[in-house]
């Protein structure tokens, strides 16, 4: 492995470092499928993002190791606790140069892993593929439809005057049946999303609520401090609001979202494939079962790359773009429609 020099570092964290730190912190509570997509998208935007994750991840790991020291054991921590892992034992030091530091960064988060075969391979029991079916789809009594991402939970409270749904946890997409006489309200803690007939996604986080409108319009409401109510924030299709649910009660942050971004954010609605240390050739075989255009590897070395992560089963093109953008793999389209993958030299 060719070592990559560290970037200059100052005592004042850069915006990239601040964002990388936030991603590292999220691993303790685990990432949702949408957050995993967001992380991969952010990682592909700039090679400095991956290097920042890798650099901060080393510090994070060192602190985790240092936590094993207790003052009652000795006046100073054992130097071995802070020693760098050797090549024989350190998995993250075994990434080949062409795989780039972005791959090492992804290992820290635990979303996406590429590892050359034969270098600290995971145990055979950890290898495999899991097919994740489409998310739970609920038909409500008013004709509205709710799709729940993994772990999502709702409770309903319908009356003659309104339709109220509580998002207890997780992420859900709502397709609301039109009924002007009975407003449809989604509650997420102190945040309320009010609609009549529209489609939107709501994701509940630890300190924020995210609302993405895919059709029609909604109003986002939340109380401010001291029992006051902030003015409702209107959203139309193609807009997203991030609502701070901490006591600071900041106004919602509204931003436009492209069609491609909306498609990426809602990727969890389809069948997904979860790989754990599976060779790329076998991963592509799974994709080829579910997509009309075949993707194959050009040589055995490329086919032995180990892959881990969760991906939309019917979108092999996005998977190929990820390989090209971040992992040193070149895709060549053939006249018969087949895509040929090979490692960049």
């Amino acid at each position: 492995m060719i070592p990559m020099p560290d970037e200059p570092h100052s005592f004042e964290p850069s915006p990239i470092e601040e964002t990388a730190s936030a991603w590292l912190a999220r691993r303790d509570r685990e990432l949702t499928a949408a957050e995993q997509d967001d992380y991969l998208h952010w990682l592909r935007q700039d090679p400095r993002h991956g290097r920042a994750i890798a650099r901060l991840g080393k510090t994070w790991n060192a602190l985790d190791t240092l936590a094993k020291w207790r003052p009652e054991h000795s006046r100073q921590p054992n130097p071995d606790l802070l020693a760098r892992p050797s090549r024989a034992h350190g998995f993250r030091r075994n990434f080949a140069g062409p795989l780039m530091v972005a791959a090492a960064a992804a290992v820290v988060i635990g979303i996406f892993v590429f590892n050359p075969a034969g270098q600290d391979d995971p145990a055979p029991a950890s290898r495999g593929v899991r097919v994740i079916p489409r998310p739970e789809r609920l038909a409500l009594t008013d004709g509205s439809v709710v799709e729940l991402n993994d772990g999502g939970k709702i409770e309903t409270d319908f009356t003659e005057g309104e339709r109220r749904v509580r998002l207890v946890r997780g992420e859900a997409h709502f397709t609301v049946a039109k009924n002007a006489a009975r407003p449809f309200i989604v509650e997420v803690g102190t945040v309320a999303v009010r609609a009549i007939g529209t489609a939107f996604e709501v994701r509940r986080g630890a300190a924020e609520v995210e609302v993405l409108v895919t059709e029609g319009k909604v109003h986002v409401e939340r109380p401010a401090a001291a029992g006051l109510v902030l003015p409702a924030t209107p959203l139309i299709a193609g807009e997203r609001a991030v609502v701070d649910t901490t006591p600071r009660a900041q106004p919602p942050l509204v931003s436009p979202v492209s069609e491609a971004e909306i498609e990426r954010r809602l990727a969890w609605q389809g069948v997904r494939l979860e790989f754990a240390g599976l060779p790329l050739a076998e991963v592509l075989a799974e994709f080829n079962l579910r997509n009309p255009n075949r993707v194959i590897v050009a040589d055995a070395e490329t086919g032995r790359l180990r892959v881990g992560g969760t991906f939309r089963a019917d979108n092999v093109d996005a998977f190929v773009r990820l390989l090209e953008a971040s992992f040193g793999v070149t895709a060549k389209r053939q006249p018969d429609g087949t895509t040929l993958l090979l490692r960049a030299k």
Side-chain angles (χ1 to χ4, degrees):
M1 175 177 177
I2 300 175
M4 185 168 292
D6 291 337
E7 295 180 348
H9 183 69
S10 64
F11 291 102
E12 184 68 25
S14 68
I16 290 178
E17 289 175 319
E18 290 180 348
T19 304
S21 297
W23 280 119
L24 286 171
R26 291 182 186 183
R27 73 177 177 181
D28 284 344
R29 64 160 175 80
E30 300 184 356
L31 301 178
T32 65
E35 287 174 327
Q36 292 179 6
D37 291 341
D38 289 342
Y39 169 73
L40 290 174
H41 178 68
W42 177 79
L43 192 63
R44 293 195 299 269
Q45 288 177 332
D46 191 319
R48 294 177 297 173
H49 295 175
R51 292 198 291 270
I53 287 285
R55 184 172 58 250
L56 294 175
K58 290 179 181 179
T59 302
W60 187 294
N61 290 340
L63 291 174
D64 281 347
T65 306
L66 185 58
K68 300 175 184 178
W69 171 69
R70 295 292 183 271
E72 60 267 23
H73 297 163
S74 65
R75 295 179 61 87
Q76 297 293 332
N78 187 329
D80 290 340
L81 291 178
L82 302 180
R84 291 175 177 265
S86 66
R87 289 186 179 272
H89 299 90
F91 175 76
R92 292 182 180 85
R93 294 174 59 85
N94 284 330
F95 282 94
L99 296 183
M100 301 166 44
V101 176
V107 174
V108 175
I109 299 298
I111 301 171
F112 193 93
V113 180
F114 263 80
N115 187 32
Q119 296 188 0
D120 285 341
D121 286 344
S126 69
R127 299 171 183 160
V129 58
R130 181 169 72 101
V131 178
I132 304 174
R134 293 183 182 277
E136 184 178 5
R137 186 180 179 92
L138 305 176
L140 304 185
T141 57
D142 69 326
S144 298
V145 175
V146 182
E147 292 178 279
L148 288 173
N149 201 351
D150 291 343
K153 180 182 178 181
I154 65 168
E155 297 175 349
T156 60
D157 184 13
F158 284 13
T159 66
E160 293 183 0
E162 67 179 17
R163 298 165 289 172
R164 193 169 291 269
V165 178
R166 300 182 187 89
L167 181 60
V168 179
R169 63 172 180 267
E171 182 176 19
H173 184 270
F174 301 86
T175 302
V176 180
K178 292 184 179 180
N179 188 339
R182 298 178 70 200
F184 191 97
I185 303 168
V186 176
E187 292 182 346
V188 192
T190 59
V191 178
V193 183
R194 183 181 296 267
I196 296 176
T198 185
F200 57 97
E201 180 195 46
V202 182
R203 182 172 69 187
R204 181 170 192 160
E208 63 186 25
V209 172
E210 193 169 331
V211 181
L212 172 63
V213 182
T214 57
E215 181 183 329
K217 60 183 179 181
V218 303
H219 283 84
V220 179
E221 306 168 349
R222 69 153 300 175
L228 300 176
V229 177
L230 295 173
T233 300
L235 294 179
I236 61 174
E239 289 187 332
R240 176 181 65 177
V242 178
V243 187
D244 182 1
T245 56
T246 65
R248 294 177 297 177
Q250 299 292 329
L253 180 62
V254 179
S255 60
V257 183
S258 67
E259 290 185 10
E261 176 74 2
I262 291 176
E263 181 181 355
R264 186 179 64 81
R265 289 291 308 274
L266 298 181
W268 58 268
Q269 292 180 315
V271 176
R272 286 166 290 160
L273 298 173
E274 181 180 85
F275 304 109
L278 204 66
L280 179 58
E282 296 182 34
V283 167
L284 295 177
E286 294 291 338
F287 274 113
N288 290 338
L289 290 173
R290 299 166 175 86
N291 293 272
N293 297 324
R294 297 178 67 246
V295 182
I296 60 176
V297 292
D299 55 84
E301 179 186 1
T302 303
R304 286 194 294 268
L305 290 173
R306 298 289 177 190
V307 179
T310 304
F311 309 93
R312 181 78 177 251
D314 60 357
N315 195 356
V316 68
D317 290 339
F319 178 70
V320 171
R321 288 195 297 270
L322 176 63
L323 301 184
E324 291 183 294
S326 300
F327 298 98
V329 173
T330 300
K332 294 185 176 181
R333 274 68 182 182
Q334 306 300 303
D336 63 355
T338 299
T339 299
L340 195 64
L341 300 181
L342 65 157
R343 292 279 299 279
K345 302 298 183 183

